[in-house]
Amino acid sequence: MADIHFDYSIALEAIKYGIDGIRLNPGNIKKEKQIIQVVEEAQKKKVMIRFGINAGSLNKNIMEKYKEPNYLALVEETERLLEFLKKIDYQNIVISIKSSNVLDTIKANNIIAQKCDYPLHIGITEAGFDQSGIIKTTAGISILLYEGIGDTIRVSLTGDPVKEVLVGHDILKALGIRRSGLNLITCPTCGRCQVDIYEIAKKVESSLSDIRTPITVAIMGCIVNGPGEAKFADAGIAFSKKEAMLYRKGELIGRYNTKGAIAMLQKEIRGMSVE
Amino acid sequence: MADIHFDYSIALEAIKYGIDGIRLNPGNIKKEKQIIQVVEEAQKKKVMIRFGINAGSLNKNIMEKYKEPNYLALVEETERLLEFLKKIDYQNIVISIKSSNVLDTIKANNIIAQKCDYPLHIGITEAGFDQSGIIKTTAGISILLYEGIGDTIRVSLTGDPVKEVLVGHDILKALGIRRSGLNLITCPTCGRCQVDIYEIAKKVESSLSDIRTPITVAIMGCIVNGPGEAKFADAGIAFSKKEAMLYRKGELIGRYNTKGAIAMLQKEIRGMSVE
């Protein structure tokens, strides 16, 4: 996928060299003739084109009209694009409409999803980093996906791009769209808890991070919700004051001390993985 | 707020000692007589009662009917509670319906929100920890809040409870419900970027973490979306290949080298805070 700005001729070159997809920014590649030339070349080689509309690089005349890059400005730039797309005879098109503002992104995508059938690529652009970046991204993408909007996703976080992929994966897991690897159910450490659930859970997770089989694992610190969660997980431990109860698919299979329970849980999970 | 399980008499004691609120779990405090006694004492002292229904501790006969703690089981336990609440004359009631499963939590809250007007306390229980816990929590809470459901929120993460508050705060900020402190717009580090945006943004954030005035700050690595985002932030830097452009509320106020630009940005933001 080649992300092209300003100069359409780079898109032509990228297509010539066999790229799989082209992203064009209609905010800075504006001349219809140039876009048509890219579309024609893409069509010959069956290359997908994504038109990526971004709040940070909207057309000048749209910005003059709206004064700020709000969802109405995003919608109007997308509507102009849809008008243009009617004139061309190519369907291998994806549209993305992104803002760093979560609500503007959601509103603009909602409106455009009603107006066209092109696949939508969704994400919060320039979301930031670490906790607040992950939260903005998750809020935006998960609300849209829950509404049934969004065909591909992009997580845009400042920092190591590998992290972006892991965050996207966890969003899809949270919404039940993808199931892969451990799904950990662990309790907040409240007054009822006698063991260090955080350390135990981290240890279990990191020792089994290679597993791709979807396995729900509960690690619970007390007898209020512990046995209930542990029973309905594929494998689970519920700690009580005296001991740890180990469950396999709803069945109590043993009572152990803390250390023994962790080792047995790891063994259980490993046994359930099909790798 | 006293979180009471199993023994209703502890609730009575807590009310006697002047607690602000009581959480009762109808999954393990089941006797109507006992609950009525707690309600009567709460009423005398105007103490709020939250009935907290949790997938991990549902009533035995509901579990026998549904076999697993899915959203239908959560809904039926809540419906039984609503039947009971009709019999008492006390409105200082909050209901919470939680599961560690994001979709079950959303579906159950949607159904109950249609059936009653009690305030709903929302969250994903036993969500896990770190990245995946934050993502499950954000997905669940933000989808519900976006639908207009939820009057108070709870973030349940394994680990330091201070983190739970910070995550909740960031969820409310992402959805535009609360505005406080810096809202950072920073770009993913793509091929166009010539500086270490992650380090720069972390430095700016940590040096200004005491600020409570809502200030949108853009720190952008290139000229595609950089000037656009920086202009519409309260303060922003857009780095180009040669220099850094500093913006204040849409106006270009200077061009600097990297180090100078960071110092000037920090000064700008500090000047905008009203503390």
Side-chain angles (χ1 to χ4, degrees):
Chain A
M1 188 86 191
D3 190 5
I4 311 293
H5 296 270
F6 301 112
D7 187 351
Y8 81 110
S9 69
I10 299 169
L12 298 177
E13 283 296 298
I15 294 169
K16 195 191 288 174
Y17 282 97
I19 199 86
D20 291 321
I22 291 283
R23 180 257 171 125
L24 295 180
N25 184 338
N28 57 37
I29 300 177
K30 289 166 269 198
K31 290 191 182 143
E32 203 168 293
K33 267 190 186 170
Q34 294 180 348
I35 300 175
I36 286 175
Q37 217 179 313
V38 175
V39 170
E40 283 169 352
E41 289 307 307
Q43 199 155 9
K44 283 181 202 160
K45 299 216 179 176
K46 294 182 181 162
V47 169
M48 180 271 273
I49 300 177
R50 182 168 80 225
F51 288 94
I53 285 152
N54 194 304
S57 52
L58 290 172
N59 240 309
K60 262 188 191 163
N61 48 23
I62 286 179
M63 284 308 301
E64 275 160 20
K65 179 171 171 187
Y66 290 97
K67 310 296 178 211
E68 54 168 32
N70 57 27
Y71 75 97
L72 295 169
L74 289 164
V75 165
E76 184 160 335
E77 182 143 326
T78 314
E79 283 171 340
R80 290 188 191 182
L81 171 67
L82 294 175
E83 282 307 307
F84 164 75
L85 292 175
K86 279 183 195 164
K87 296 187 219 165
I88 63 168
D89 181 32
Y90 193 48
Q91 294 299 315
N92 200 356
I93 302 281
V94 171
I95 293 176
S96 101
I97 311 155
K98 291 187 194 157
S99 165
S100 58
N101 181 297
V102 173
L103 295 178
D104 280 334
T105 307
I106 294 168
K107 286 178 193 166
N109 276 281
N110 263 286
I111 295 169
I112 296 304
Q114 299 290 324
K115 298 198 177 200
C116 77
D117 288 327
Y118 292 106
L120 297 177
H121 173 69
I122 60 168
I124 303 301
T125 195
E126 294 115 22
F129 57 97
D130 294 353
Q131 180 178 300
S132 62
I134 292 172
I135 287 174
K136 280 195 231 176
T137 297
T138 305
I141 292 178
S142 62
I143 289 169
L144 283 167
L145 289 178
Y146 190 75
E147 294 181 316
I149 294 169
D151 302 278
T152 57
I153 66 171
R154 164 70 199 271
V155 173
S156 300
L157 294 172
T158 304
D160 180 4
V162 172
K163 176 113 180 170
E164 296 179 333
V165 177
L166 299 175
V167 167
H169 182 72
D170 278 344
I171 293 172
L172 297 177
K173 275 173 76 176
L175 297 173
I177 294 169
R178 181 173 287 179
R179 295 200 66 205
S180 163
L182 303 196
N183 173 28
L184 279 169
I185 294 164
T186 65
C187 58
T189 35
C190 76
R192 298 190 294 268
C193 188
Q194 310 282 319
V195 293
D196 190 340
I197 295 288
Y198 182 69
E199 284 306 319
I200 294 170
K202 276 218 316 198
K203 191 176 164 183
V204 170
E205 186 184 54
S206 65
S207 70
L208 300 164
S209 64
D210 59 302
I211 290 180
R212 289 289 156 267
T213 310
I215 300 170
T216 298
V217 176
I219 302 173
M220 301 289 296
C222 85
I223 53 159
V224 171
N225 296 315
E229 289 286 356
K231 260 185 222 167
F232 290 94
D234 296 313
I237 310 180
F239 290 94
S240 73
K241 276 187 187 164
K242 294 173 303 198
E243 58 187 6
M245 289 164 284
L246 184 66
Y247 293 84
R248 178 201 297 147
K249 295 188 189 292
E251 206 187 328
L252 180 65
I253 57 169
R255 295 167 185 271
Y256 303 88
N257 64 19
T258 302
K259 212 176 153 188
I262 298 166
M264 286 305 291
L265 180 69
Q266 287 168 314
K267 210 178 143 191
E268 272 300 314
I269 299 167
R270 184 62 69 189
M272 286 174 184
S273 79
V274 293
E275 287 97 309
Chain B
M1 187 86 192
D3 190 4
I4 312 292
H5 296 270
F6 302 111
D7 186 351
Y8 81 109
S9 69
I10 300 169
L12 298 177
E13 282 295 298
I15 294 169
K16 196 191 287 175
Y17 283 97
I19 198 88
D20 291 321
I22 291 284
R23 180 258 171 124
L24 295 180
N25 184 339
N28 57 36
I29 301 177
K30 290 167 269 199
K31 290 192 183 143
E32 202 168 293
K33 265 190 187 170
Q34 294 179 349
I35 301 175
I36 287 176
Q37 217 179 317
V38 175
V39 170
E40 282 170 352
E41 289 308 307
Q43 199 156 8
K44 283 181 203 159
K45 298 216 179 175
K46 294 181 181 161
V47 168
M48 180 271 272
I49 300 176
R50 181 168 82 226
F51 287 94
I53 286 153
N54 195 304
S57 51
L58 290 172
N59 240 308
K60 263 190 191 161
N61 47 24
I62 286 180
M63 284 308 300
E64 275 160 19
K65 180 171 171 187
Y66 290 96
K67 311 295 179 208
E68 55 167 31
N70 57 26
Y71 76 96
L72 295 169
L74 290 164
V75 166
E76 183 160 334
E77 182 144 329
T78 315
E79 283 171 341
R80 291 188 192 181
L81 171 67
L82 294 176
E83 281 308 307
F84 165 74
L85 292 176
K86 279 182 194 163
K87 296 188 219 165
I88 63 169
D89 180 33
Y90 193 48
Q91 294 299 315
N92 199 357
I93 303 282
V94 172
I95 293 176
S96 101
I97 310 155
K98 291 186 195 158
S99 165
S100 58
N101 181 296
V102 173
L103 295 179
D104 280 335
T105 306
I106 294 169
K107 286 178 192 166
N109 276 281
N110 264 286
I111 294 169
I112 296 304
Q114 299 290 326
K115 297 198 178 200
C116 77
D117 287 327
Y118 292 106
L120 297 177
H121 174 70
I122 61 169
I124 303 300
T125 195
E126 293 115 23
F129 56 98
D130 294 352
Q131 181 177 299
S132 62
I134 292 172
I135 287 174
K136 280 196 231 175
T137 296
T138 305
I141 292 178
S142 61
I143 288 169
L144 282 168
L145 289 178
Y146 190 74
E147 294 181 317
I149 293 169
D151 302 279
T152 57
I153 66 171
R154 165 70 199 271
V155 173
S156 299
L157 294 173
T158 304
D160 180 4
V162 171
K163 178 113 179 168
E164 296 179 333
V165 177
L166 298 175
V167 167
H169 182 71
D170 278 344
I171 294 172
L172 297 178
K173 275 172 75 175
L175 297 173
I177 294 169
R178 182 173 287 178
R179 296 200 66 205
S180 164
L182 302 197
N183 174 28
L184 279 168
I185 294 164
T186 65
C187 57
T189 34
C190 76
R192 297 191 295 268
C193 189
Q194 309 281 322
V195 293
D196 189 341
I197 295 287
Y198 182 68
E199 285 306 319
I200 293 170
K202 276 219 316 196
K203 192 178 163 181
V204 169
E205 186 184 55
S206 65
S207 70
L208 300 164
S209 64
D210 59 302
I211 289 180
R212 290 288 154 268
T213 310
I215 300 170
T216 298
V217 176
I219 302 172
M220 302 289 296
C222 85
I223 53 159
V224 171
N225 296 314
E229 289 286 356
K231 260 186 222 166
F232 290 94
D234 295 313
I237 311 180
F239 290 93
S240 73
K241 276 185 187 164
K242 294 173 303 197
E243 58 186 7
M245 289 164 285
L246 184 66
Y247 292 85
R248 179 202 295 148
K249 295 188 188 291
E251 206 187 328
L252 179 65
I253 57 169
R255 294 167 186 272
Y256 302 89
N257 64 18
T258 302
K259 210 175 154 187
I262 298 166
M264 286 305 291
L265 180 69
Q266 287 169 312
K267 210 179 143 189
E268 273 299 315
I269 299 167
R270 184 63 68 190
M272 285 173 183
S273 79
V274 293
E275 287 98 306

